């Protein structure tokens, strides 16, 4: 997951303020950037931090002499910690699908430095007013358009499979990091039995969905709004969901898997919650557009929505575990503050399905909650 970019009003910091733990890597970076400067019109003295990743990646912004492209982005991805090959591959796949994604202008593969074009500073999340869902609908329509283009380009054997092994590995993060390490509850006995039973049902459900390209973090925080674009989708770089629509970032973990995943990610966000009425509305809009485009969604919306909800459970359980790990292992406590949203998603969704009662009981036990009435995605 990528941290949001700073506002344009922040003054650039000089290059010397960027911290490097490895002096040799710092020297290699400066030499690489200086070598590119003449051909790319870069101004190396303007390099400053743009954002930091939940991983080991960092992003810098650098000015140029080109009025048509006044800034570029540099990715700093140490090769011993981050493999940049998937980023480069998926960027090309997205562009080929007609989706706006960063173009890789130069790649120092040995050192893990990439020069990218700059899709701007404003995310879709920046543009959204959670109190005005209707005003956000045009942006969600653009997101749906981009998602459908991405899914229509799908081919098996290109991206890693989102298979049973990966699904089970993701789910294991929840008992290990959230329950065991964060909550300090031993995962054994009846609690473990209930989790194992629920996890098998969730994985089986998710594997039953048809496979397409899956972004895995397709949410407003990773969708960039073009310069000059307004909340109603006008202005900026272009039309609905295509090149020049919402730009897409943080796609390096893309896989080939359940078609239900990315719409679940979009509407059950890590950093934003909507009431169920709006979630249903946007999901129906996606389902209708996907059917029209010939994508393999279930002909019955009820069946499709169930698949989306169960895929959302997979994601919520995984992310709660990841956020706990980011805090306890990686020293990034800001992410754990959002876990109550995920626990609320898990508790509410599992409570809709009788066969997931064991999972509800696990949540109630570790959170000290009790049975809820009704259902909503409400702001938590």
């Amino acid at each position: 997951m990528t941290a949001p970019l700073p506002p344009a009003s922040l003054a650039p910091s000089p290059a010397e303020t960027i911290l490097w733990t490895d002096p040799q890597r710092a020297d290699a970076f400066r030499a690489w950037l200086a070598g590119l400067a003449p051909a790319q019109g870069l101004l190396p003295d303007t390099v400053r931090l743009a954002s930091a990743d939940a991983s080991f990646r960092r992003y810098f912004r650098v000015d140029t002499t080109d009025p048509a492209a006044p800034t570029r982005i540099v990715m700093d991805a140490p090769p011993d910690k981050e493999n940049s090959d998937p980023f480069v591959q998926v960027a090309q796949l997205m562009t080929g699908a007609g989706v706006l994604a960063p173009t890789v202008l130069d790649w120092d593969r040995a050192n893990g430095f990439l020069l990218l074009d700059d899709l701007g500073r404003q995310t879709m999340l920046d543009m959204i007013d959670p109190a005005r869902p209707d005003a956000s609908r045009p942006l969600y329509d653009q997101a749906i358009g981009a998602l459908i283009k991405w899914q229509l380009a799908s081919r098996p054997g290109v991206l890693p499979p989102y298979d049973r092994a990966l699904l089970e590995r993701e789910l294991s993060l929840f008992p290990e990091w959230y329950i065991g390490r964060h909550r300090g509850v031993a995962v054994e006995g009846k609690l473990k039995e209930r989790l194992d039973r629920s996890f098998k049902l969730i994985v089986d459900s998710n594997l039953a969905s048809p496979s397409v390209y899956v972004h895995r973090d397709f949410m407003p925080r990773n969708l960039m709004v073009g310069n000059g674009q307004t909340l109603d989708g006008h202005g900026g770089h272009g039309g609905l969901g295509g090149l020049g629509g919402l730009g897409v970032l943080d796609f390096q973990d893309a896989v080939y898997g359940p078609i239900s995943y990315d719409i679940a990610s979009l509407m059950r966000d890590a950093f934003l919650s909507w009431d169920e009425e709006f979630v249903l509305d946007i999901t129906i809009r996606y389902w209708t557009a996907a059917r029209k485009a010939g994508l393999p969604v279930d002909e019955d919306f009820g069946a499709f929505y169930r698949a989306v909800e169960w895929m959302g459970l997979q994601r919520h359980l995984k992310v709660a575990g990841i956020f706990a790990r980011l805090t306890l292992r990686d020293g990034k406590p800001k992410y754990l503050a959002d876990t109550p949203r995920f626990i609320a998603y898990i508790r509410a969704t599992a409570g809709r399905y009788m066969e997931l009662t064991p999972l509800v009981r696990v949540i109630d036990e570790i959170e000290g909650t009790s049975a809820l009435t009704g259902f909503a995605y409400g702001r938590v």
Side-chain angles (χ1 to χ4, degrees):
M1 296 182 179
T2 304
L5 299 178
S9 59
L10 290 183
S13 301
E16 289 73 23
T17 62
I18 293 176
L19 300 179
W20 297 89
T21 56
D22 181 353
Q24 289 185 329
R25 183 165 180 77
D27 290 342
F29 173 77
R30 294 187 184 101
W32 170 73
L33 199 64
L36 288 180
Q40 296 286 346
L42 306 179
L43 300 172
D45 290 342
T46 65
V47 174
R48 64 273 192 190
L49 188 66
S51 72
D53 216 69
S55 66
F56 294 97
R57 287 179 293 270
R58 295 189 297 174
Y59 299 88
F60 308 137
R61 181 170 275 113
V62 58
D63 294 337
T64 79
T65 58
D66 182 359
T71 56
R72 299 293 191 192
I73 294 293
V74 176
M75 181 194 294
D76 168 29
D80 60 327
K81 296 182 176 69
E82 298 290 341
N83 178 12
S84 296
D85 290 57
F87 180 93
V88 174
Q89 178 195 16
V90 180
Q92 293 171 343
L93 288 174
M94 286 207 157
T95 300
V99 177
L100 181 60
T103 300
V104 179
L105 304 171
D106 194 87
W107 181 18
D108 180 349
R109 190 170 189 169
N111 289 303
F113 301 133
L114 290 85
L115 182 68
L116 313 170
D117 56 358
D118 190 349
L119 300 189
R121 293 171 171 83
Q122 195 165 49
T123 69
M124 179 177 164
L125 185 61
D126 295 331
M127 298 287 289
I128 287 173
D129 179 356
R132 299 173 59 225
D134 288 347
S136 301
R137 191 173 284 110
L139 286 174
Y140 277 94
D141 284 341
Q142 290 192 71
I144 288 170
L147 178 56
I148 286 176
K149 282 178 177 286
W150 170 235
Q151 292 174 334
L152 283 172
S154 303
R155 289 181 292 124
V158 176
L159 293 175
Y162 207 174
D163 56 14
R164 182 175 296 274
L166 179 53
L167 288 163
E168 290 177 347
R169 190 161 66 247
E170 287 184 345
L171 287 175
S172 72
L173 295 168
F174 184 73
E176 178 182 358
W177 286 98
Y178 187 84
I179 299 179
R181 304 205 188 191
H182 173 54
R183 287 300 189 189
V185 176
V187 182
E188 58 188 18
K190 189 171 288 293
L191 188 149
K192 183 178 187 304
E193 178 188 327
R194 286 170 172 167
L195 275 179
D196 289 346
R197 197 186 329 160
S198 300
F199 284 3
K200 183 179 186 307
L201 290 173
I202 292 170
V203 170
D204 287 347
S205 171
N206 294 334
L207 288 175
S209 288
S211 290
V212 293
Y213 287 164
V214 178
H215 179 289
R216 288 177 82 192
D217 262 326
F218 194 80
M219 56 186 181
R221 183 172 172 160
N222 290 328
L223 302 176
M224 306 302 295
V225 179
N227 294 330
Q229 191 163 330
T230 60
L231 187 60
D232 64 3
H234 296 129
H237 298 295
L240 195 75
L243 281 173
L246 294 176
V248 181
L249 301 179
D250 205 21
F251 43 69
Q252 60 279 339
D253 294 325
V255 291
Y256 185 72
I259 194 170
S260 53
Y261 191 97
D262 280 342
I263 187 62
S265 177
L266 181 66
M267 298 315 300
R268 293 156 176 81
D269 195 355
F271 308 99
L272 173 72
S273 294
W274 294 109
D275 291 334
E276 186 183 12
E277 182 181 356
F278 186 69
V279 173
L280 278 167
D281 176 35
I282 300 301
T283 307
I284 290 170
R285 284 169 173 258
Y286 163 77
W287 174 75
T288 302
R291 289 191 68 200
K292 186 176 180 180
L295 287 166
V297 293
D298 198 295
E299 291 187 2
D300 175 64
F301 177 74
F304 175 72
Y305 196 69
R306 180 188 186 279
V308 171
E309 289 206 294
W310 284 58
M311 193 73 249
L313 277 174
Q314 169 86 29
R315 176 173 169 77
H316 305 152
L317 290 160
K318 173 189 74 171
V319 175
I322 289 174
F323 281 11
R325 186 176 66 184
L326 283 167
T327 297
L328 300 173
R329 187 192 71 182
D330 302 336
K332 298 180 179 181
K334 65 178 182 177
Y335 291 98
L336 200 55
D338 284 291
T339 52
R341 187 188 317 279
F342 285 90
I343 299 304
Y345 283 153
I346 294 164
R347 178 65 177 78
T349 303
R352 291 170 71 103
Y353 299 97
M354 185 176 298
E355 57 266 53
L356 291 175
T357 298
L359 179 58
V360 174
R361 289 176 176 163
V362 168
I363 299 301
D364 288 344
E365 180 176 339
I366 63 176
E367 298 295 316
T369 54
S370 57
L372 303 175
T373 58
F375 177 79
Y377 289 99
R379 297 165 185 82
V380 295

